[in-house]
Structures are given as C-alpha cells and as structure tokens.
Amino acid sequence: MTKREGLVFLLLFVIVLSAKAQVQTDSTTTKDSIKKNDFVKQLGNGYFPTKILNFDLRYLVKFNQYEGFRTGLGGVTNDGFSERYKINSYVVYGFVDKKIKYSIGGGFRIAPETKTWLNIAYTDDLQETGSSKFLTDKRFFSFFEPRLLNIDLFHKHITSKISLEHEINPKLLSEVEIAISNIRPTYDYNYILDGESFGAFETTTAKIGLQWSPNDEYETTDTNTKIVKEGYPKFTLQYTKSFKDIFNADFNFSKLDFRTIYKASHSKESFSITTFSAGLAQGDAPLTHLYHAYPNNITKETILQRFSVAGINSFETMYFNEFFSDRFATLIFKHYLKPFHISKNFNPQLVLISRFAIGNMDNINRHQNVTFETLNKGYTESGFEINKLLLGFGLSLSYRYGAYHLPRTEDNIAFKFTFNITL
C-alpha cells in the first residue's frame, strides 16, 4: 500500500527532475524552460496543470483504515478558463466502505490586488474525529500526509458553506467561513446533553482564520506578488463559534486554535524547527469537534506489526483514539544535523526529535460508548530520524517515557520509515 503511494510520488519527482535538468541554449528553449519552471511550481503546489484545469494531486490515491484505498479525481479551473471565476470539485471512492464522496464548489474574484475570493461549496465526505483544520492551511500543499494511512475514527458530514478569502497583505492571509453541517459518526458514539442523547447532530458554525508570516520576503510586480524568501516565525490563529437553533443546529460551543512555527538556522545545512500548537474548546462540543493531539500509532501487538510511516508533527508512540481533550497544547522540537555527504547521490541526514503534549477535559461522562484518557499528566516521547537513505525514504525510532509510560517496554517503542521529497 505505502509502496504504491511512494512509487506514484517518486514518478512525479522523476518527471520534475527531468524537466529541471535540461540545458537551455536559444530563445525558443528559454521559453520552454519558463514553462517547465511554471510546471514544477504547479506540482509543488499540488496541481498538475492543463490548459483550463489544474488537476488536484491530493485525490489521486490515498489510504486509511476506514476506507482502505481512496481514489478519485479533483481539480480547479485556472486562468485559461477565467481569471474572475473558478470551479473546483472532486469525487473519490473508498474500496472498503464502498462509498462515493464528493465536493462541488466555485468562486468569484472580488479584488485581484488583494486576492479576495468569495467561495461556495457543498461537500459530502469524511473527516477525522478530533482533528482541527486551519482554514488557511488549504493554501499550502504537502505531497505526502503519512498520518492518513493509520486513521480509523471518522465522522461523515454533509456541509454547505460560504467563505471569503482575503490577503490583507502578502504576509497576512485571512479567511472567514460560515458552514452548516449534518454530522454522523461512523462509530458507536452518543453525546449526552440535558438528558438527551445525540448519535447524530447538526452544527451551524462561523470561523475566522489568520496566517501571519512577518519575516517572509516578497516581491511585487504589476500582475503578481511572490515570496522570494520564507521567513520565521509563522503564526496561525483561528476562532470557531457554533450557534444552537440556527438552521436547526444542536449545540453552542466555541473553539480557539493557535499554531506557531520557528526555524533557527545553525549553518548552511543544519537547522532546528520548533512547532507549538494549542487548542481550547468551550461549551457543548461533541467528541467530533474536540482534540486528539496528533497520534500516529496503531494498536497492534508487536513493534513490527505497528511498522508504518512516521508523520511530520505527530506523536509516533501515541496510539490512535488513546487521548482526547477539550484543551491541549503540544511542543515539538526537531534538530536537523548536517547531512552525511557519503557520495554525490547519498546524503542521509540525522534528525533528533522531542515531543511534549498536555491537555484535559471537562464533562467526560457526556461522551458515551467510547473510552479514552486525557493528557493532564503530560505526555513525552523522544527519538530520531535518519532521512534520505534511499529514494526519499528513511527510518525513525521513537520512545515513550514519563507519566504515560506503558508496562511493556515494546509498547513504548515506535519504529517506522519516513518519506521526504521536495520540489
């Protein structure tokens, strides 16, 4: 399974490298080079461009524990179709649950100079329970999302939404969204509130998200603004409010989510990255809208049975569905040592990692038919990665210690492979 995904991404990587390696000598070839550079940039943003449609690579093939293989097509129209309007949609199929999921939407550009778009969308799909997505994150793409492979706790949602994207300035992105959702957990779950049991429910939410990168360097032309140097720290903030009785919504609650990323360069090839995340949910929030602290370990008997793919900012020794919180914070530190230049094409890199999480939850007894702990004692794990051993693949080893150390030594160890590819 993971081998198949890795080969797909490897094929794309080989195409990109081939395009970049050609030497240009005349004006016609130079034009071709510009086109190829634009093609590489589009791939880096997660799209395969055509004349009027950019295919979204996120929907080609994925895998999780509920759907099995999930495959389909998605895309968004580009300027060849219209500079003022866009249509975006996707359709996917899960081979285990045997269900089709889809989304259809569109947008209207209000102001080109501030990249202001008014968007609408209708989505019938799954979402991981306990996940909290930032609105502004959809503008940033990752070729490979390792945690998806092991997730098994999802809820179905049918969501209608309207949103407004606005670039306050090139360093400060914003988005506002209003959404109405019909939510059905795929697992046995009931939320008890005021003597009533909810196995399914409706929500009406308003969100506002901000992404601030104060140290990015950019250049502006008559037609475009582009980042020429990525700076740190980066800050993301999002507020969510759920309104009871508006469009038949069942709950009143609010959420505040925050993340900051800081990168410190020690030399040309050695650097450290620190990621701090926090979330707070108040009011009558069901488990679907709380926090899980990014676990990435499947519940299997032996270390080798748990062998899978390490995530980027996930807790490798924390088992899925082991912890939930209505307030939490995580701190992840990664130190990248200078690569070992063994040969021209073999430059593995050692990464030292430490992770910490803390959280808690009020009114745990409202969540019925599920069993979990909170993180009130503080969760710690440390380990290392050796990346780029072969074709972007590497290995990682993590160890769980402290308050949530488990009785069996092997249950505290996570041994996995890593996958790193950049364009």
Side-chain angles (χ1 to χ4, degrees):
M1 174 272 307
T2 53
K3 181 179 178 181
R4 182 177 176 181
E5 269 199 350
L7 289 174
V8 171
F9 295 126
L10 177 61
L11 178 60
L12 291 173
F13 187 51
V14 171
I15 294 173
V16 171
L17 288 181
S18 299
K20 292 177 69 177
Q22 297 182 20
V23 178
Q24 319 302 333
T25 57
D26 54 41
S27 59
T28 301
T29 310
T30 300
K31 291 179 181 179
D32 290 341
S33 177
I34 293 172
K35 290 181 180 179
K36 288 174 181 176
N37 287 337
D38 183 63
F39 177 77
V40 171
K41 181 179 178 181
Q42 291 282 9
L43 281 180
N45 290 330
Y47 294 101
F48 187 94
T50 64
K51 188 173 182 180
I52 64 172
L53 178 69
N54 294 341
F55 288 97
D56 196 325
L57 302 177
R58 291 175 297 178
Y59 301 109
L60 284 178
V61 57
K62 288 188 177 180
F63 184 91
N64 62 64
Q65 299 298 311
Y66 180 78
E67 296 173 284
F69 278 106
R70 170 187 168 110
T71 184
L73 289 174
V76 58
T77 56
N78 55 36
D79 288 350
F81 172 80
S82 173
E83 294 183 0
R84 195 172 184 183
Y85 302 95
K86 65 181 176 183
I87 299 171
N88 55 278
S89 64
Y90 68 82
V91 58
V92 296
Y93 179 76
F95 283 90
V96 172
D97 67 338
K98 299 180 181 179
K99 297 290 184 181
I100 293 175
K101 298 91 179 174
Y102 64 93
S103 178
I104 185 167
F108 166 69
R109 188 167 67 179
I110 299 173
E113 63 277 4
T114 56
K115 300 179 183 178
T116 304
W117 286 84
L118 181 66
N119 305 305
I120 59 172
Y122 179 87
T123 303
D124 185 344
D125 204 345
L126 300 172
Q127 184 171 333
E128 181 190 2
T129 287
S131 62
S132 192
K133 297 181 178 179
F134 291 99
L135 292 174
T136 53
D137 277 358
K138 67 183 179 183
R139 308 192 195 185
F140 306 96
F141 172 74
S142 174
F143 253 112
F144 191 50
E145 302 170 76
R147 279 193 70 255
L148 293 180
L149 302 177
N150 297 322
I151 300 170
D152 63 353
L153 207 65
F154 291 91
H155 54 270
K156 300 177 183 178
H157 71 101
I158 299 175
T159 299
S160 302
K161 65 182 180 182
I162 182 170
S163 64
L164 181 70
E165 300 177 32
H166 177 67
E167 186 180 90
I168 299 172
N169 62 56
K171 298 182 179 182
L172 183 58
L173 309 177
S174 68
E175 185 163 349
V176 178
E177 175 191 282
I178 297 175
I180 303 168
S181 298
N182 179 299
I183 297 171
R184 301 289 185 273
T186 61
Y187 48 95
D188 187 15
Y189 173 73
N190 288 88
Y191 183 64
I192 308 299
L193 181 64
D194 298 330
E196 186 175 355
S197 178
F198 294 87
F201 35 87
E202 318 284 332
T203 63
T204 298
T205 58
K207 295 181 181 179
I208 180 169
L210 297 171
Q211 167 88 39
W212 183 38
S213 303
N215 294 314
D216 279 357
E217 295 181 11
Y218 61 92
E219 62 182 24
T220 302
T221 65
D222 293 336
T223 59
N224 193 22
T225 299
K226 66 177 182 179
I227 294 176
V228 295
K229 183 179 180 182
E230 195 170 26
Y232 293 87
K234 297 181 180 293
F235 303 94
T236 307
L237 181 68
Q238 183 165 289
Y239 178 74
T240 304
K241 175 61 180 174
S242 175
F243 301 93
K244 184 178 180 179
D245 296 330
I246 296 181
F247 299 110
N248 299 316
D250 293 306
F251 307 126
N252 270 321
F253 63 85
S254 62
K255 295 178 64 177
L256 185 65
D257 299 292
F258 174 78
R259 181 185 65 209
T260 183
I261 304 171
Y262 180 73
K263 180 178 179 180
S265 296
H266 308 295
S267 66
K268 186 177 180 179
E269 297 179 291
S270 176
F271 57 92
S272 301
I273 296 179
T274 303
T275 303
F276 175 77
S277 301
L280 172 66
Q282 293 183 311
D284 306 322
L287 194 70
T288 53
H289 289 71
L290 298 183
Y291 303 102
H292 57 34
Y294 315 106
N296 192 33
N297 205 12
I298 53 179
T299 307
K300 295 290 181 67
E301 184 68 18
T302 67
I303 295 173
L304 291 181
Q305 286 176 326
R306 297 192 296 269
F307 186 81
S308 60
V309 191
I312 299 172
N313 283 317
S314 52
F315 284 75
E316 303 307 321
T317 63
M318 184 185 294
Y319 293 90
F320 279 92
N321 316 322
E322 185 179 6
F323 300 95
F324 286 96
S325 306
D326 60 19
R327 52 196 184 275
F328 88 109
T330 66
L331 183 66
I332 299 175
F333 175 79
K334 292 185 175 183
H335 178 63
Y336 293 74
L337 278 71
K338 182 179 178 180
F340 301 102
H341 297 295
I342 297 173
S343 69
K344 181 179 180 180
N345 297 314
F346 185 50
N347 300 283
Q349 186 172 30
L350 178 64
V351 185
L352 305 178
I353 304 172
S354 285
R355 304 180 179 97
F356 175 78
I358 191 166
N360 214 331
M361 182 186 292
D362 295 327
N363 304 309
I364 295 178
N365 57 352
R366 290 182 180 179
H367 307 282
Q368 299 293 307
N369 305 321
V370 290
T371 302
F372 57 86
E373 294 185 69
T374 64
L375 290 163
N376 60 301
K377 299 176 184 178
Y379 187 100
T380 48
E381 71 173 31
S382 294
F384 63 88
E385 296 175 354
I386 304 179
N387 296 323
K388 303 175 184 178
L389 289 174
L390 178 65
L391 302 176
F393 291 92
L395 294 171
S396 79
L397 184 69
S398 300
Y399 185 72
R400 168 175 175 163
Y401 57 95
Y404 293 103
H405 183 271
L406 299 172
R408 289 204 322 162
T409 300
E410 56 266 40
D411 291 339
N412 298 287
I413 299 172
F415 176 56
K416 305 178 183 182
F417 70 82
T418 63
F419 183 75
N420 292 274
I421 186 170
T422 56
L423 295 180

